[in-house]
Amino acid sequence: MAVNYKAELVGVLGYPVAENPTCVMQEAAFAALGLNWRYLTIEVKPDNLADAMRGVRALGMRGINLTIPHKVGVMALLDDIAPDAKVIGAVNTVYREGDRLIGANTDGKGFLRGLREAEIDPQGKRVAVLGAGGAARAITFELAFAGASELIVINRSEERGQQLVEALRKDTSTTVDFVPWSSTYVVPPTINILVNATSIGLYPDAEALPDLSLDQAHSDLFICDVIPNPPDTRLMQLARSRGLRTLNGLSMLVHQGTIGFELWTGQTAPEAVMKEALRKAFEAS
Ligand code: NDP
C-alpha cells in the first residue's frame, strides 16, 4: 500500500492565543477517528492577519478558527460568508469549498446544540441575555432565528446594548428589549431561559458572580453560562442551590467545535471524546 505522510491542517489564529484550548478537543477527535489531521494554535498580530490568511490558502489548510481579535477583520479576506454570520457580523470558523474560503459563525449554533441536547427548545421562549459582546451577539441572533418569542438584552454599556438590540430588531422578527445593567438585575418570573454571555466568572476571576437576583424567577427557569473555564461557575452553583436546571459553557465550546469539525472533515464529530479532553485540560490548568 502506498504511504501517505501528508497531514491535513486546520487551526486557530488569535492574539493572544496561547491559552485557547480548542486544539485539545480537535486533536483528540482526530486521534479517535484515526485522521492524519493537525490543529495548530497560531499567534497572529492584527496587522499580519491578511498575510496569515494568504498563508492559510497557500498551505492548503482545510479550515481555520478565528478568535480575539480577528473575528471581524477576517471577513474582508474571505470568498464568501454564510448569511447568518454576515448578520451576526463575525466569523469564528472558516472552511474550504475547493479553493474558496467560506466564513461561518458556530458560536451561537454551538450554544443552541447544547440547549437542544438538554431538551430545551427555544421556540416560543422568553430569554434574558446578560451581555452584548461577541458571544451575546451570536447567541441572541441564533435564538431569534430559532423562534424565541422575546429577548431581553441586559448590558452594562448602554451604547453596546442598544446597538445589539437595534441589530436584532432590524434583522429578526423577535420582540427585543434593552435593560441597562446599572443595578442588580431582578430576573422576572416571565423569563424561561437566562444566559450569562458576559465574561464574568472567567478564570482567573472564578469567584465573580453576575449582579442578579433570582428571588422573583420562575421555578422552571433554565440558566446557561458561556464561561467554559471553570465550567462550574458561581452562577451555575447559585442556580443549582435554587433547584434550577443549568447548562454550562463547556457545552457551547464543545458544540461549536463539533460543528467546525463536521464542516472541515465531513464526518460526525466524536462529541464525548472532545468534551472529556477539554474537561481534563481545564482540570489540569
Ligand atoms: P466581549 O468582550 O465581546 O464582551 C464581553 C461582555 O461582557 C460585554 O457585554 C461586557 O459588557 C460584559 N462584561 C464584562 N465584564 C463585565 C462586568 N464586570 N460587569 C458587567 N458586564 C461585564 O467578549 P465575548 O462576548 O467575546 O466573550 C464573553 C465571554 O464568552 C468570555 O468569557 C468568553 O470566554 C465566552 N465565550 C465562550 C464561548 C464558548 O464556546 N463557551 C465562545 C465565545 C465566548 P460591556 O459591553 O459593558 O463592556
Side-chain angles (χ1 to χ4, degrees):
M1 199 170 73
V3 292
N4 180 5
Y5 294 121
K6 178 179 174 290
E8 301 298 338
L9 299 180
V10 289
V12 58
L13 310 181
Y15 186 79
V17 79
E19 290 183 9
N20 188 298
T22 305
C23 59
V24 172
M25 68 171 161
Q26 297 292 359
E27 293 266 337
F30 298 147
L33 270 61
L35 297 174
N36 188 18
W37 286 52
R38 304 283 185 284
Y39 188 99
L40 308 174
T41 301
I42 307 170
E43 191 170 270
V44 175
K45 290 186 179 163
D47 283 353
N48 293 331
L49 183 62
D51 284 343
M53 289 306 293
R54 275 192 284 277
V56 166
R57 286 180 196 273
L59 294 171
M61 291 182 77
R62 300 290 288 266
I64 199 84
N65 283 137
L66 289 307
T67 188
I68 288 169
H70 301 314
K71 288 185 184 185
V72 176
V74 76
M75 295 176 80
L77 306 168
L78 302 173
D79 300 301
D80 205 355
I81 296 171
D84 55 333
K86 248 184 226 168
V87 171
I88 292 167
V91 160
N92 75 332
T93 303
V94 171
Y95 62 97
R96 196 176 264 275
E97 274 180 7
D99 284 337
R100 289 160 53 75
L101 294 183
I102 318 291
N105 192 311
T106 66
D107 278 338
K109 289 187 176 56
F111 173 78
L112 276 199
R113 246 194 211 194
L115 207 55
R116 294 209 162 101
E117 194 177 60
E119 297 185 351
I120 304 291
D121 181 357
Q123 171 96 36
K125 299 287 191 303
R126 296 192 175 97
V127 189
V129 177
L130 306 170
R137 215 177 155 87
I139 287 170
T140 49
F141 271 102
E142 293 295 345
L143 284 168
F145 295 148
S149 62
E150 188 181 338
L151 288 168
I152 301 179
V153 173
I154 303 104
N155 200 54
R156 180 181 60 180
S157 144
E158 205 159 330
E159 195 186 344
R160 191 131 80 134
Q162 290 286 13
Q163 270 171 12
L164 174 54
V165 166
E166 275 158 34
L168 285 161
R169 283 183 183 149
K170 179 172 160 281
D171 287 310
T172 77
S173 53
T174 302
T175 303
V176 190
D177 283 308
F178 173 64
V179 174
W181 202 1
S182 46
S183 57
T184 305
Y185 176 64
V186 181
V187 181
T190 47
I191 293 297
N192 307 112
I193 303 172
L194 172 79
V195 185
N196 173 36
T198 72
S199 42
I200 301 170
L202 184 67
Y203 177 86
D205 290 323
E207 285 307 309
L209 178 66
D211 185 10
L212 56 81
S213 162
L214 296 174
D215 288 349
Q216 292 182 23
H218 196 280
S219 58
D220 210 25
L221 176 70
F222 189 78
I223 301 198
C224 313
D225 208 328
V226 298
I227 301 294
N229 185 22
D232 197 29
T233 57
R234 281 201 55 208
L235 178 61
M236 297 284 89
Q237 293 166 18
L238 172 69
R240 280 202 312 275
S241 75
R242 299 280 186 127
L244 302 174
R245 292 165 305 150
T246 60
L247 181 68
N248 69 30
L250 205 52
S251 160
M252 176 175 167
L253 186 61
V254 170
H255 283 298
Q256 60 84 22
T258 61
I259 296 168
F261 182 95
E262 288 165 8
L263 284 172
W264 295 332
T265 67
Q267 301 198 31
T268 304
E271 182 197 320
V273 169
M274 294 168 81
K275 196 177 239 170
E276 181 57 14
L278 265 185
R279 201 191 53 75
K280 274 196 187 142
F282 287 143
E283 230 172 57
S285 68

